[in-house]
Amino acid sequence: MTPQSNAIEVRALNKFYGEFHALKSIGFQVEQGERVVICGPSGSGKSTLIRCLNRLEIHQSGFVSVQGIELGDDLRNLDAVRREAGMVFQHFNLFPHITVLQNCSLPQTLSRGTKRNDAETKAREMLSRVHILDQADKFPGQLSGGQQQRVAIARALCMEPKIMLFDEPTSALDPEMIREVLETMIDLATGGMTMVVVTHEMGFAREVADRVVYMEAGEIVESAPPATFFKTQKDQRTKRFLSRILS
Amino acid sequence: MAIGETNVPLTALPLKPKQPWMKLFFGDVFSSFLTILSILIVISLLPGLNWALFNATWPGGTPEACRDGGACWAFVGAKSRLILFGLYPPEHQWRATLVIVLIIAMVLASLSPRMWGNKLIMLWGAGIALMLILMGGGLLGLDTVPTSKWGGLPVVLMLAVLSLGMGFPIAVLLALGRRGSLPVARAVCTFIIELVRGLPLVGLLFVAAILLPLFLPPDWTIDKLGRTLAALTIFSSAYLAEVVRGGLQGLDKGQGEAAQALGIPYWKVIWHIILPQAIQNVIPPLTNTAIVMVKNTSLVLIVGIFDMLSAARSAATDPTWPAPSTEGYLFVALIYFAICVSISIYARHLENGVRARSHS
């Protein structure tokens, strides 16, 4: 529980969906300020792993701690962890019934009791950080996919997280919109944010990541800095995967 | 404007205002058929119009004038006090009138979605308390009027608004319980919903108004109007629960996950994120239930509540007037119609608001 501990510490994590063994005794650490990209074929457990980090999925056994707080059945810990770790989803999941500004301000009010004015000031600050302040009074349905995903990033940032979790943030976007979201993420990385990103964007991994993790069939197969990862793969499965998506 | 322009598909004809009228009404076999049918319907209604308008005796007329055979609106005029206020003491009638005004004002104040929030709930709490004081008296120097003397439109409005208003939170709990992960809560909620939906409202009203007092200890005297309201509330909550459940089911589970991931506590997620969207998705069936519940209030006459329908029936027994029950019932029907149509119009307006926000 020391402040110097890893941002994320996962040991012997097991997750089952019924009979299906989704995560097989995973060990996984992220240091403070580290940027980790997780890749792997679909069904490899990478989304499940990232969702276990804020308990959107409940693991059956093993140890998960985020910012030194252990994730278990204690609900107070859970709320604390969720305040430390912001999450961005594949399908944005903005709240369609309120404006973009309210999407960013309401969660602050509901989750921490921030005063409305302060929450809106913060929301505007974060919206301008992702260059979308001019859309603040529109509803999410009136924005393009790329814009919506940037709002989702701003919404998560409003909670002042120490860690940002990205679950395939560009997979649901049209190609011409992927760039704007990646650029926002690169900005964030340059600012020193601890990030765990599940993605197939190998360009992003090369440019930004400190470490790339390859998962397959519920196991971490390989974990290396991008320079090594893309040059020499220790495992045949990683080699096969890379040759398929980089060709 | 030549009639010879025939390249337009036939199905588009009735929608084109620029078409010559002959083509509009007799363009093909089907529209000719509809035109002729409509004309026949209008003709068949003419005697009715004659009765209702041209031969009618208007308010202010005497019972004698009514014997000519036209509609006797004079009767409705003379009995409107009885139909609208039932047996409520005439000298305190201003209080019942004020209650009607208060309910309408509060409903109007609640129309705009911008008003929705905790303040509105408190306003309704205060408004309902004020209504009960106005109707019942016994406080603030107002004379006591027992609920057995309450009747007519204020009672109908109060039953409709309160049974829907109190039924809704119960409905939300039932719907959440039925969809939840706790097996016991799920079974209990499902059982309650199916049980109530399986019972006719008339039966439920009988149980509440007549059977229930027999089973309760004699010193437990819950007011009959209160018991009737409870029956209506239970009934509306079961139906609303299924409507709300439909709304919840149509919601993407990512909404709840995103809210949870932001650290928002469960009940706030439900209240601020999930429910507003779920309700937006089910405005048409919700309108349906609201209208049905308004009309259901007319059934309380069978347990002896003096609502508008009972009042119209008892007004018709006055021997000075020549058998005018039709006019009385039509008057009551008109009031119900006005309320229900207003609900429909409002619901459509709400839906347009939702649509305007969802897509550019």
Side-chain angles (χ1 to χ4, degrees):
Chain A
M1 288 265 194
T2 54
Q4 299 307 315
S5 61
N6 279 337
I8 292 169
E9 181 78 46
V10 173
R11 288 197 294 266
L13 177 68
N14 279 294
K15 167 76 190 170
F16 295 85
Y17 292 110
E19 291 287 292
F20 180 66
H21 201 169
L23 293 177
K24 296 168 186 161
S25 196
I26 297 278
F28 176 66
Q29 286 80 31
V30 179
E31 288 167 27
Q32 301 288 356
E34 196 182 14
R35 293 163 310 245
V36 178
V37 164
I38 305 177
C39 60
S42 67
S44 59
K46 53 196 194 303
S47 279
T48 308
L49 173 60
I50 201 173
R51 286 161 62 88
C52 280
L53 299 180
N54 64 356
R55 214 168 165 81
L56 287 180
E57 301 290 348
I58 294 168
H59 56 269
Q60 274 81 19
S61 72
F63 173 86
V64 179
S65 91
V66 175
Q67 292 295 117
I69 308 164
E70 189 185 345
L71 266 181
D73 292 326
D74 190 331
L75 290 177
R76 269 168 308 167
N77 279 2
L78 179 61
D79 283 343
V81 164
R82 284 178 175 167
R83 279 195 291 266
E84 297 291 331
M87 190 164 201
V88 174
F89 297 85
Q90 181 178 2
H91 296 287
F92 333 135
N93 295 350
L94 293 179
F95 307 132
H97 63 300
I98 52 180
T99 62
V100 163
L101 183 71
Q102 288 168 324
N103 260 280
C104 296
S105 65
L106 185 68
Q108 301 176 56
T109 319
L110 296 181
S111 141
R112 322 184 138 167
T114 314
K115 290 224 173 59
R116 198 174 139 184
N117 277 344
D118 299 345
E120 285 187 356
T121 310
K122 181 98 205 164
R124 283 181 202 284
E125 184 190 322
M126 290 306 158
L127 285 171
S128 79
R129 186 163 163 192
V130 300
H131 311 296
I132 204 159
L133 186 57
D134 51 326
Q135 311 284 344
D137 295 319
K138 288 194 181 167
F139 286 90
Q142 297 166 325
L143 268 52
S144 74
Q147 290 173 321
Q148 289 193 48
Q149 194 59 298
R150 276 148 60 200
V151 173
I153 294 172
R155 176 176 71 175
L157 289 177
C158 280
M159 309 306 287
E160 298 179 322
K162 304 278 185 329
I163 304 170
M164 284 287 281
L165 308 171
F166 292 85
D167 188 5
E168 304 206 27
T170 56
S171 305
L173 293 174
D174 292 334
E176 74 269 21
M177 293 171 183
I178 292 179
R179 196 66 224 168
E180 64 183 72
V181 170
L182 288 182
E183 268 162 17
T184 309
M185 291 166 63
I186 291 168
D187 275 354
L188 209 57
T190 339
M193 177 71 76
T194 310
M195 290 164 76
V196 179
V197 185
V198 171
T199 186
H200 293 118
E201 295 293 330
M202 289 303 121
F204 175 82
R206 225 178 240 140
E207 198 172 334
V208 177
D210 297 313
R211 190 150 55 93
V212 183
V213 171
Y214 176 70
M215 283 183 75
E216 192 173 315
E219 288 170 313
I220 291 181
V221 174
E222 198 149 340
S223 169
T228 329
F229 183 87
F230 289 110
K231 213 158 91 202
T232 50
Q233 298 84 27
K234 277 178 272 171
D235 198 291
Q236 273 306 316
R237 291 174 289 178
T238 319
K239 208 168 271 174
R240 215 176 326 122
F241 175 76
L242 282 179
S243 71
R244 233 178 302 138
I245 70 163
L246 292 179
S247 60
Chain B
M1 291 294 263
I3 293 180
E5 295 170 4
T6 50
N7 283 341
V8 189
L10 285 178
T11 47
L13 277 178
L15 297 174
K16 291 236 168 186
K18 280 183 184 164
Q19 292 295 328
W21 68 270
M22 270 302 285
K23 197 161 181 174
L24 189 60
F25 290 112
F26 296 100
D28 61 304
V29 178
F30 185 63
S31 57
S32 314
F33 172 73
L34 283 184
T35 306
I36 293 167
L37 190 70
S38 312
I39 292 172
L40 288 177
I41 290 173
V42 169
I43 291 173
S44 72
L45 285 175
L46 280 180
L49 276 180
N50 222 5
W51 173 83
L53 296 176
F54 305 120
N55 285 346
T57 310
W58 294 98
T62 60
E64 285 65 40
C66 277
R67 296 191 196 279
D68 297 343
C72 187
W73 302 123
F75 162 78
V76 173
K79 297 290 182 189
S80 62
R81 199 207 80 78
L82 178 65
I83 296 176
L84 287 177
F85 297 105
L87 302 174
Y88 206 79
E91 67 273 22
H92 298 312
Q93 195 176 305
W94 62 273
R95 283 157 53 180
T97 315
L98 213 55
V99 167
I100 297 178
V101 173
L102 192 63
I103 293 178
I104 293 174
M106 290 203 318
V107 168
L108 289 178
S110 319
L111 291 187
S112 164
R114 245 171 268 140
M115 286 290 294
W116 298 351
N118 295 338
K119 274 186 198 144
L120 192 68
I121 293 174
M122 284 190 275
L123 178 76
W124 271 97
I128 288 164
L130 186 61
M131 266 185 248
L132 294 177
I133 293 170
L134 272 172
M135 280 301 274
L139 276 174
L140 307 172
L142 296 170
D143 290 343
T144 305
V145 178
T147 55
S148 55
K149 294 274 188 221
W150 298 12
L153 188 56
V155 164
V156 166
L157 289 178
M158 282 169 84
L159 286 176
V161 167
L162 290 180
S163 65
L164 285 167
M166 300 194 309
F168 194 75
I170 303 174
V172 169
L173 291 179
L174 286 173
L176 288 174
R178 189 165 181 174
R179 269 178 59 79
S181 51
L182 305 169
V184 178
R186 194 166 55 214
V188 169
C189 291
T190 309
F191 177 73
I192 294 174
I193 292 172
E194 295 304 340
L195 179 73
V196 175
R197 289 205 308 166
L199 291 171
L201 178 58
V202 173
L204 208 59
L205 285 171
F206 263 119
V207 171
I210 293 153
L211 286 182
L212 199 61
L214 301 179
F215 294 111
L216 291 176
D219 49 334
W220 276 41
T221 50
I222 308 170
D223 188 85
K224 181 156 82 176
L225 193 61
R227 279 178 274 136
T228 308
L229 175 61
L232 285 170
T233 303
I234 292 168
F235 192 77
S236 77
S237 67
Y239 280 84
L240 288 172
E242 287 297 278
V243 174
V244 172
R245 190 167 69 95
L248 293 173
Q249 234 140 16
L251 218 59
D252 180 33
K253 86 175 173 23
Q255 288 291 314
E257 285 182 352
Q260 277 175 31
L262 287 159
I264 305 174
Y266 177 79
W267 282 108
K268 290 185 178 172
V269 174
I270 297 291
W271 181 248
H272 292 274
I273 308 294
I274 302 297
L275 268 186
Q277 295 186 55
I279 291 168
Q280 278 182 3
N281 290 344
V282 290
I283 291 174
L286 216 51
T287 316
N288 209 14
T289 310
I291 289 176
V292 167
M293 281 314 293
V294 168
K295 292 193 288 190
N296 276 346
T297 56
S298 63
L299 288 175
V300 299
L301 103 161
I302 62 148
V303 292
I305 306 286
F306 207 74
D307 74 323
M308 290 192 294
L309 209 55
S310 328
R313 199 168 60 169
S314 95
T317 58
D318 184 344
T320 39
W321 295 87
S325 50
T326 314
E327 289 84 338
Y329 288 144
L330 278 177
F331 178 60
V332 174
L334 191 69
I335 294 175
Y336 273 108
F337 182 75
I339 296 172
C340 295
V341 166
S342 312
I343 296 175
S344 296
I345 293 172
Y346 171 60
R348 206 160 45 200
H349 159 81
L350 271 187
E351 266 188 276
N352 289 339
V354 172
R355 209 169 301 135
R357 269 174 295 165
S358 49
H359 289 289
S360 47

